[in-house]
């Protein structure tokens, strides 16, 4: 499996309230006490997994591509990790920003 790097720099994330007060959808793993941003290598995988993620029922969501370095800069301040998930929602890679 290809690792995230400068030759493969894009990840897909879920954006809450796109265009207006938008933010990247984060998750919290209570069992392990970890906050993370679920990310995906493919847009279709993100769309499949969206229904498995904790989210507000009455909010709008959109899947968008983001460069992994930009994502890292945005989430590092808030103490989030970046988890790359597969279509089953399983972690296939962990990125510490």
């Amino acid at each position: 499996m290809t690792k995230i790097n400068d030759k493969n720099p894009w990840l897909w994330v879920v954006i809450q309230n796109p265009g207006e007060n938008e933010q990247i959808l984060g998750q919290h793993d209570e069992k392990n006490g970890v906050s993370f941003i679920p990310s995906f290598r493919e847009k279709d995988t993100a769309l499949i997994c969206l229904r498995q993620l904790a989210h507000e029922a009455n909010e709008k969501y959109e899947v968008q591509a983001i460069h992994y370095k930009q994502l890292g800069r945005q989430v590092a301040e808030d103490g989030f990790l970046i988890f790359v998930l597969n279509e089953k929602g399983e972690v296939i890679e962990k990125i510490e920003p």
Side-chain angles (χ1 to χ4, degrees), residues 39-40 49 52 83-93:
S39 64
F40 307 89
C49 287
Q52 298 174 35
F83 288 178
V84 181
L85 308 179
N86 66 14
E87 63 279 347
K88 296 177 185 175
E90 301 166 331
V91 178
I92 57 173
E93 187 175 349

Side-chain angles (χ1 to χ4, degrees), residues 11-65:
L11 291 171
W12 293 89
V13 296
V14 178
I15 303 296
Q16 182 176 344
N17 297 319
E20 185 177 318
N21 297 321
E22 67 183 24
Q23 59 185 353
I24 299 169
L25 180 67
Q27 302 287 286
H28 184 73
D29 178 350
E30 296 279 337
K31 181 179 175 184
N32 296 306
V34 175
S35 294
F36 67 96
I37 301 298
S39 64
F40 307 89
R41 299 228 170 110
E42 302 291 330
K43 183 177 184 178
D44 288 343
T45 304
L47 292 169
I48 290 167
C49 287
L50 175 57
R51 63 181 153 251
Q52 298 174 35
L53 301 174
H55 62 281
E56 300 291 326
N58 56 348
E59 298 289 337
K60 293 181 182 178
Y61 295 91
E62 180 177 291
V63 174
Q64 295 181 10

